[in-house]
Amino acid sequence: MASNIQLVFYRKPGSDDILVRALLNEKEVTMPVSSDCAPFYHWTDVEKYYRDKLERNPLSTE
């Protein structure tokens, strides 16, 4: 059985703020990141969350 995860990015012309929305099997899902514009999330918040998560649990290179 297969699954489909999509991150959809939005940016207004002339703006540096990038918003992202997450879809699982074509259905909107929430992310473990706080947001003032749900169901959209600021990319800077999403990126920080996942970078922090990777730093706490680095992948083994062995």
Side-chain angles (χ1 to χ4, degrees), residues 6-55:
Q6 297 175 47
L7 294 179
V8 183
F9 294 86
Y10 300 88
R11 184 176 59 88
K12 287 184 181 178
S15 173
D16 290 335
D17 189 23
I18 299 170
L19 298 178
V20 62
R21 180 172 70 135
L23 303 172
L24 175 63
N25 296 328
E26 308 294 328
K27 295 184 178 146
E28 203 164 82
V29 293
T30 59
M31 298 177 77
V33 177
S34 62
S35 176
D36 61 355
C37 54
F40 299 93
Y41 301 86
H42 295 279
W43 173 242
T44 53
D45 298 335
V46 174
E47 180 183 30
K48 181 181 180 334
Y49 173 81
Y50 283 108
R51 285 190 184 272
D52 290 346
K53 190 173 183 93
L54 284 171
E55 287 176 13

Side-chain angles (χ1 to χ4, degrees), residues 3 13 22 30 59 61:
S3 289
T30 59
L59 298 173
T61 58

